[in-house]
Amino acid sequence: MKHKRKPSAFINDIPLKYKFLFIYLLCVLVPILSINALFYVQISRNVEVRERENLGISVDRVVYDLMQIVNECVAISNTVAADRPYMEMMDYAYPDNEAYYDAYNDFLKDKLRQYSNLHSYIYWMGIYTSNPTIQNGSSYFILSDKDKQSEWYRKISSSTDKVLLTSYQGTNPLNPPQQEVFVSLIRKLDNFTGQPYNKYLRIDLRLNNVQELFQKERDYLDFKLLDEKNRIVLASGQSFYSLDTNALLNVDTSLDQPSKQIVRTLSSAAYTKGWRLVGTPEGRKVNHEMVHALRISLILALLTIILPTLLMIVIIRSYNLRVRLLYKHMKLVKYEQFESIDMYEGKDEIGGLIRSFNLMTGKIRNLINDVYKLEIQKKDLELERVRAELKYLESQVDPHFLFNTLNAILVICKKYKYEQVTDVIRNLALIMRRLLSWKDDLITVEEEVSFIEMYLQIEKFRFQNRFSYVLDIEPEVLKCRIPKMSIQALVENSCKHGLQSVKWAREIHVSAARDNAGLLIVVTDNGKGIEKEKLEWIKSHLETEQDSGQNVGLRNVYKRLMLYYNGRARFSIESTEYEQTVITIRIPEDLSLDLVVEGSYV
């Protein structure tokens, strides 16, 4: 009478080692790892927040130092603009050049130079005026048409503000072909009423000094200074000189990921509106802190895992050892090895099972008779015969393929004078390594296609742009198993006999798909084709045992397919001269999975 299965009886279906494993995982390992993972996540977040705050402080420090320079320049410009006697001399209409140079030598010459001598961050300082009696030179220039077309003039003349920080690209006077990025503070000199001429003070900053501010924080951040047009004015480790005008003042597009960058505006002043300093974390400092946190978490995890694990091993070892030994000997029974367990069984339930097993194996050995053994030996001999025949057929394929491949390399070497054969040799090495590593008779379609592609790369190199191939393999057939080198031999045969002697563009198409009838494999080439009489001869000689030395590849593929699939596979060849040749392999649906040697299929 069949007993009714209790709802909790599913526990009895779980193997003993998995029961111990579940207890260990759910009660020891998972809780410990979860706690340590949460601990590591929290530490990582704290480290990231702290380091980002530190990086923000570094960016603020650079902004502060940079604004100190800008503000000092603003103060200098205010001082110059407020000097009434100086402005009157700049607005005076000199009767001749001699009068101007007397004024220049007595007063104007050192008026602006004193500021650039006192402040190292000032690259150049000068005044542009519309006063036509001023002579160009040193720190004073008459506004020319070219100056009025310059970017800095257009910005200050169109602005309502008196002071403006601007960037622009100009020619370095010391090296005229070389373009240079300038960052200048421009000031309108119009503090007093009744001034007859327009005057602009231009203070060019020395960008090397700004880069020195960036260098102080180079271990933590990479900086970029952006102007109001979002252009990169200056960046860490980047030169602001170039012979290529397109290499300077490029628009920055890296702000698409602001979470990885720290952005600060220079100030709220109108003259720095739109200017920003962007700091990108260098990463090493944060990574070092994260590695340190990970190291601490791993040490804690190891300590909290090892101790409970050792305790559980001691507790279950004596029980689990005998169960595993019993299970091992019971597995040997499947392979007709009826060995007794030679150990002290014990007096518990496991010991009773071991004694019963020893009694059972003794009786089984007595029941095996000579007739049964003779039948087993007969089947083994038949199986070895089939395997030997398969190995013989495969041994014909491999040297045949190797000979054709080496011959192709020889042709290429002669044609290109031993040049450009690196890829061919590399693919050949991969092919040979694959041949040596394949131990199973059956491989997946995915492995066969990979092997074919390496071979076709060699042929592609051989025929150059006069050869192409298409691999149309449906994903659902990639795991189907077929005899190794069954498709490759067909592809090789097409290259050697179908495409080698033609002059037009060569093409091979390999497809594999599954339909209602089973697995369908088709190899097509547009070579010279096969004459009708020769095609009939090939079809009639596929099944013959006589080795004529011709069409070895086709016959070997056909023989192997027939042996593996007990004659149920279908193999056909269709050809039209000077158009195409199509070889089709069809494996029935129930045979397109793994093959069992005796002829049954899973």
Side-chain angles (χ1 to χ4, degrees):
M1 181 179 178
K2 187 175 182 181
H3 296 282
K4 185 177 180 180
R5 181 183 177 90
K6 295 182 179 180
S8 60
F10 74 93
I11 298 177
N12 297 333
D13 297 333
I14 302 176
L16 192 60
K17 66 177 182 179
Y18 293 123
K19 293 177 183 177
F20 289 142
L21 182 61
F22 290 154
I23 293 173
Y24 173 71
L25 291 176
L26 299 179
C27 299
V28 178
L29 191 60
V30 171
I32 292 175
L33 290 179
S34 299
I35 293 172
N36 280 276
L38 292 175
F39 176 71
Y40 172 68
V41 169
Q42 187 60 43
I43 290 180
S44 301
R45 289 177 179 174
N46 294 339
V47 169
E48 186 175 358
V49 170
R50 185 183 70 237
E51 290 302 320
R52 190 160 184 87
E53 291 176 353
N54 293 336
L55 294 175
I57 293 172
S58 297
V59 175
D60 292 337
R61 184 163 51 242
V62 175
V63 169
Y64 175 80
D65 293 339
L66 180 57
M67 283 308 301
Q68 285 290 100
I69 295 175
V70 175
N71 289 333
E72 288 181 10
C73 291
V74 172
I76 293 173
S77 69
N78 291 334
T79 301
V80 174
D83 191 341
R84 179 182 288 273
Y86 181 54
M87 292 297 100
E88 291 176 351
M89 293 191 70
M90 291 301 300
D91 288 333
Y92 180 73
Y94 295 96
D96 51 34
N97 292 342
E98 182 178 355
Y100 169 75
Y101 284 118
D102 288 340
Y104 175 80
N105 291 326
D106 294 338
F107 186 77
L108 298 178
K109 179 178 180 180
D110 296 324
K111 185 62 179 179
L112 298 181
R113 188 177 300 174
Q114 61 177 331
Y115 297 108
S116 58
N117 291 337
L118 289 175
H119 303 284
S120 61
Y121 50 80
I122 296 178
Y123 182 58
W124 180 82
M125 183 174 177
I127 294 177
Y128 287 84
T129 179
S130 59
N131 186 351
T133 64
I134 297 294
Q135 299 301 311
N136 289 327
S138 185
S139 300
Y140 306 97
F141 293 90
I142 300 174
L143 281 170
S144 63
D145 292 338
K146 182 178 180 181
D147 294 328
K148 293 179 180 180
Q149 295 299 321
S150 63
E151 186 175 354
W152 69 265
Y153 180 82
R154 286 186 279 110
K155 288 181 179 179
I156 191 63
S157 60
S158 62
S159 175
T160 58
D161 298 319
K162 289 188 176 183
V163 182
L164 179 67
L165 183 67
T166 183
S167 63
Y168 54 94
Q169 186 174 323
T171 303
N172 187 339
L174 300 180
N175 190 3
Q178 181 169 272
Q179 294 292 314
E180 179 179 349
V181 174
F182 289 89
V183 176
S184 301
L185 186 79
I186 312 298
R187 170 63 187 259
K188 294 179 181 178
L189 301 178
D190 57 355
N191 283 17
F192 307 105
T193 58
Q195 292 180 285
Y197 302 111
N198 295 326
K199 299 178 291 301
Y200 301 95
L201 174 64
R202 174 176 143 186
I203 303 176
D204 295 341
L205 300 183
R206 194 179 300 275
L207 296 187
N208 287 335
N209 289 49
V210 180
Q211 276 194 328
E212 288 177 2
L213 299 180
F214 295 171
Q215 287 295 103
K216 293 178 181 179
E217 309 294 338
R218 64 180 180 274
D219 292 335
Y220 309 102
L221 293 159
D222 289 329
F223 288 98
K224 288 185 291 187
L225 180 62
L226 306 181
D227 63 9
E228 73 280 1
K229 295 183 178 180
N230 204 37
R231 298 181 300 184
I232 301 175
V233 177
L234 191 63
S236 298
Q238 176 180 317
S239 175
F240 48 89
Y241 299 101
S242 179
L243 293 175
D244 182 7
T245 58
N246 297 323
L248 302 175
L249 291 181
N250 293 315
V251 176
D252 181 51
T253 59
S254 64
L255 292 179
D256 296 336
Q257 299 178 334
S259 60
K260 295 182 180 181
Q261 298 175 329
I262 302 173
V263 182
R264 295 287 190 273
T265 57
L266 292 190
S267 73
S268 58
Y271 52 83
T272 58
K273 182 179 180 181
W275 282 74
R276 290 170 294 169
L277 183 66
V278 179
T280 303
E282 196 277 337
R284 285 181 296 181
K285 179 67 175 178
V286 176
N287 291 339
H288 175 74
E289 294 296 332
M290 297 292 284
V291 169
H292 181 67
L294 178 61
R295 187 181 297 113
I296 294 176
S297 300
L298 289 177
I299 292 174
L300 291 176
L302 289 175
L303 291 177
T304 53
I305 289 174
I306 291 175
L307 294 179
T309 301
L310 292 176
L311 182 60
M312 290 195 65
I313 290 175
V314 172
I315 294 174
I316 67 175
R317 186 174 183 276
S318 62
Y319 178 75
N320 189 43
L321 179 63
R322 290 180 296 159
V323 174
R324 290 179 59 189
L325 189 60
L326 176 62
Y327 178 69
K328 177 181 177 182
H329 281 74
M330 292 182 72
K331 286 180 66 176
L332 293 176
V333 172
K334 182 171 63 174
Y335 301 104
E336 300 180 4
Q337 298 181 23
F338 305 101
E339 298 179 1
S340 299
I341 302 175
D342 185 14
M343 66 173 298
Y344 174 69
E345 303 93 343
K347 297 181 180 180
D348 58 3
E349 292 82 356
I350 303 300
L353 287 175
I354 292 176
R355 285 190 293 272
S356 299
F357 176 79
N358 289 338
L359 180 63
M360 178 189 68
T361 54
K363 289 183 178 180
I364 291 176
R365 284 195 298 269
N366 294 331
L367 291 175
I368 298 176
N369 52 52
D370 294 339
V371 176
Y372 179 73
K373 285 196 172 288
L374 288 175
E375 184 67 21
I376 295 298
Q377 291 176 359
K378 181 179 178 182
K379 290 184 177 181
D380 287 341
L381 289 174
E382 180 65 21
L383 178 60
E384 290 299 326
R385 185 191 67 79
V386 174
R387 286 178 175 172
E389 187 170 358
L390 286 174
K391 292 295 183 182
Y392 168 73
L393 291 174
E394 290 177 359
S395 67
Q396 285 184 309
V397 173
D398 292 354
H400 183 65
F401 160 71
L402 178 59
F403 173 80
N404 290 335
T405 304
L406 291 176
N407 185 59
I409 292 178
L410 179 60
V411 172
I412 295 171
C413 291
K414 289 182 178 180
K415 182 176 181 179
Y416 294 96
K417 299 180 180 180
Y418 299 96
E419 297 176 355
Q420 303 177 347
V421 296
T422 303
D423 291 337
V424 178
I425 296 174
R426 183 184 297 110
N427 282 326
L428 179 58
L430 291 173
I431 290 172
M432 295 304 299
R433 186 179 295 110
R434 184 71 60 85
L435 287 173
L436 294 174
S437 63
W438 271 343
K439 302 300 181 184
D440 298 331
D441 296 331
L442 292 176
I443 62 172
T444 63
V445 173
E446 186 177 12
E447 291 175 302
E448 179 78 0
V449 170
S450 175
F451 188 85
I452 292 171
E453 190 167 14
M454 287 189 290
Y455 171 77
L456 289 174
Q457 286 292 333
I458 295 176
E459 294 296 331
K460 176 70 175 177
F461 187 82
R462 173 188 178 188
F463 293 116
Q464 298 295 313
N465 57 0
R466 294 178 291 111
F467 176 81
S468 62
Y469 63 89
V470 178
L471 300 178
D472 184 14
I473 311 300
E474 291 187 359
E476 64 179 356
V477 306
L478 290 176
K479 300 304 178 184
C480 292
R481 296 169 67 83
I482 60 174
K484 67 181 181 182
M485 297 187 70
S486 54
I487 306 178
Q488 189 279 333
L490 304 180
V491 173
E492 181 187 354
N493 192 76
S494 295
C495 291
K496 179 182 178 183
H497 299 291
L499 302 178
Q500 182 170 271
S501 59
V502 300
K503 302 300 182 182
W504 56 81
R506 306 165 175 87
E507 182 177 351
I508 287 183
H509 185 280
V510 180
S511 65
R514 185 188 294 274
D515 56 17
N516 295 332
L519 178 62
L520 179 65
I521 300 171
V522 180
V523 179
T524 306
D525 69 77
N526 65 341
K528 68 176 184 179
I530 307 174
E531 298 176 0
K532 184 176 182 181
E533 293 78 11
K534 186 175 181 180
L535 181 61
E536 294 298 327
W537 183 88
I538 292 174
K539 291 180 179 180
S540 64
H541 281 73
L542 286 177
E543 298 183 12
T544 183
E545 296 293 335
Q546 182 180 2
D547 187 1
S548 63
Q550 300 181 7
N551 303 106
V552 176
L554 291 176
R555 191 159 57 86
N556 283 349
V557 171
Y558 177 84
K559 295 283 287 183
R560 292 167 65 207
L561 289 171
M562 295 303 107
L563 284 172
Y564 272 116
Y565 301 117
N566 290 341
R568 296 179 60 191
R570 294 293 176 262
F571 183 91
S572 65
I573 307 174
E574 301 296 333
S575 181
T576 302
E577 285 190 69
Y578 302 105
E579 289 187 12
Q580 69 174 8
T581 299
V582 181
I583 302 178
T584 305
I585 297 174
R586 180 177 291 278
I587 301 173
E589 177 68 19
D590 59 332
L591 304 183
S592 61
L593 301 176
D594 293 347
L595 172 66
V596 178
V597 175
E598 286 297 326
S600 62
Y601 299 83
V602 182

